[in-house]
Structures are given as structure tokens and as C-alpha cells.
Amino acid sequence: MTINTLSDPKTTLDDGFGNTVSGIAGRAHQTIDEATDKARPAVDRAAAAAHRTVDKLADSAVPAADWAAEHSRKLVTRSTEIADSCSGYVRARPFVSLAGALAVGYLIGRMAR
């Protein structure tokens, strides 16, 4: 009669219990493989749908980005024109500009109370 020790796993698996564990592990691997094979088409369809969605978003984002870039250039140009016009007015009429600024400041101060 031999005594199986925990330090030697080979002798532990050589008895009948080891064969049962190996059989259970084999069936578990087979079940996992079957589940993977069944799930693969669904995962592939979901991945394809996600790719199509990303492609549609990218296709619609490009024109929006182009529009934003074009309009931002127009906005910068227009704000520069307005700033130049205002600075020209202030240079031409400094006292009127100062009086207007004081009046606007006074009105804002009164409304803020």
C-alpha cells in the first residue's frame, strides 16, 4: 500500500479521483468551446454594427468640422473688422467715447444694485 502525499501531484492524480477530475475538466473545456462557438456570430454581428455606427458618426462629423472651421474663420475676420472700426471711432472722438463708457458703466452699476 502506498501513501499519496500532497507534495507529489502526479501520484495524487494517478488514482480514480484524478481520472474523474480530468474528465470533468475536459467536459468543462468542451462546454466552454461550444458556448464560444455559439456566441461568436452574435459577437461578430455586434462588432460589425458598432463599426458601422462609428463610420456613420465619422462621416457626419467631417462636414460639421469643416463648417465649424469655415465659420470660425469668418467670425475671427468679422470680430477683427468690428474692433478696427471701434478703435477708429475712439481715435476720432475720444471724449464722446469716454462719456459713453461712463454712462454705460453708471447704468450697469444702477441695475446691479
Side-chain angles (χ1 to χ4, degrees), residues 41-106:
V43 171
D44 289 343
R45 283 192 304 272
H51 284 293
R52 284 191 303 272
T53 301
V54 168
D55 290 342
K56 285 180 186 177
L57 288 173
D59 290 343
S60 65
V62 169
D66 291 342
W67 180 87
E70 178 183 340
H71 283 80
S72 68
R73 284 188 295 265
K74 288 180 182 178
L75 180 63
V76 168
T77 303
R78 183 70 180 137
S79 65
T80 303
E81 290 172 359
I82 291 171
D84 291 343
S85 172
C86 289
S87 64
Y89 181 82
V90 170
R91 274 191 223 108
R93 297 175 189 87
F95 294 115
V96 173
S97 300
L98 182 62
L102 288 172
V104 169
Y106 176 77

Side-chain angles (χ1 to χ4, degrees), residues 23-57:
I24 292 171
R27 285 193 301 272
H29 284 293
Q30 182 180 4
T31 302
I32 290 170
D33 291 341
E34 289 172 1
T36 301
D37 290 341
K38 288 179 183 177
R40 190 176 318 273
V43 171
D44 289 343
R45 283 192 304 272
H51 284 293
R52 284 191 303 272
T53 301
V54 168
D55 290 342
K56 285 180 186 177
L57 288 173

